[in-house]
Amino acid sequence: QVQLVESGGGLVQSGGSLRLSCVVSGNIFSSLAMGWYRQAPGKLRELVARISPDGTTAYIASVKDRFTISRNNAKNTVYLQMNSLKPEDTAVYYCNRPNIPFTWGQGTQVTVSS
């Protein structure tokens, strides 16, 4: 049973930065594609960034050039560095495997004030 534990969220002013972390339990992390999702109030959860086992990354247009996803296989951890944050980035952020998600973690709240 894979467990996902997100951390690193908080309250930040517009233009600020945060780094999110997600620790993935088990011994299959290095073989997994992983993604960061977010869900804003009243909106559907969306995949904002993903990273393949070989380190290939992809982003949605609204976060490209501001967010960077990375992984450390030795630590079973995937990261999301978020720079130049905007109020519209406010959401609960989750990590999970794209397409075939595991049980969702609790997420981490990111709030960007204007």
Side-chain angles (χ1 to χ4, degrees), residues 30-31 36 77-78 89 102:
S30 62
S31 67
W36 279 98
T77 302
V78 58
D89 295 318
F102 301 110

Side-chain angles (χ1 to χ4, degrees), residues 31-58:
S31 67
L32 297 175
M34 291 296 298
W36 279 98
Y37 295 76
R38 68 184 179 189
Q39 187 167 21
K43 295 188 176 182
L44 296 175
R45 189 175 292 166
E46 64 175 345
L47 177 63
V48 299
R50 61 178 292 161
I51 186 166
S52 299
D54 67 358
T56 302
T57 59

Side-chain angles (χ1 to χ4, degrees), residues 49-106:
R50 61 178 292 161
I51 186 166
S52 299
D54 67 358
T56 302
T57 59
Y59 304 89
I60 59 172
S62 61
V63 308
K64 191 173 174 59
D65 298 327
R66 299 190 297 122
F67 290 10
T68 302
I69 188 171
S70 61
R71 64 192 299 155
N72 184 327
N73 290 339
K75 295 185 176 182
N76 278 20
T77 302
V78 58
Y79 304 97
L80 187 67
Q81 177 68 43
M82 306 187 295
N83 299 328
S84 303
L85 282 161
K86 304 176 181 180
E88 52 263 44
D89 295 318
T90 294
V92 180
Y93 283 72
Y94 304 85
C95 68
N96 215 322
R97 178 174 60 176
N99 301 320
I100 312 173
F102 301 110
T103 300
W104 294 90
Q106 82 288 351

Side-chain angles (χ1 to χ4, degrees), residues 18-29:
L18 285 173
R19 188 194 195 203
L20 308 184
S21 299
C22 170
V23 178
V24 181
S25 68
N27 58 4
I28 61 172
F29 178 77

